[in-house]
Amino acid sequence: MVKLQTESSPVTVKIDSQKYWNATGIYLETGAIYTFEVKGEQFWYDATIKTDAYGYTKPWFRWAEMFRRKPNENWFSLIGNIGQSVEQEFLIGKKLEKYKVPLAGELFCYANDIPIMYFNNHGSLNLTITRLS
Ligand SMILES: [Ca+2]
């Protein structure tokens, strides 16, 4: 497991849209502040729908939104999670400027989708993590 220090270089990890949990191998420490960013133009695919880390909305999918892992965030938005805990889950999107870690653990990530709908996902994003303090 990698622990970033404030003077460490940023670390980039691959987040695969098909994985229910992407274990990043990055250990986030309690009270530390990090920046998470998907740099530049990067895309992943929900079946044939091309989108970025902000994800997308479709009026004809509205009925199914409540079944998403994060019901109130876009389809395919990039979500971060610490230690696979339901209490420590947050939207990253393309950039989360400053995130203060409430409780230490490994960073996990996923594309927001319905749990049984990961089979038709394609592509991955490179997420860069920097420790600020
Ligand atoms: Ca899907």
Side-chain angles (χ1 to χ4, degrees), residues 17 45-47 56 75-76 111-114 116-122:
S17 61
Y45 298 82
D46 192 2
Y56 69 94
W75 294 104
F76 258 58
N112 194 28
D113 203 350
I114 295 174
I116 60 163
M117 293 303 289
Y118 279 76
F119 68 93
N120 66 356
N121 299 352
H122 304 283

Side-chain angles (χ1 to χ4, degrees), residues 86-106:
V86 286
E87 289 88 37
Q88 294 207 87
E89 206 154 59
F90 49 95
L91 174 68
I92 294 176
K94 271 182 74 70
K95 188 171 187 179
L96 177 55
E97 190 82 45
K98 286 183 181 175
Y99 182 76
K100 189 172 182 179
V101 175
L103 192 61
E106 183 177 2

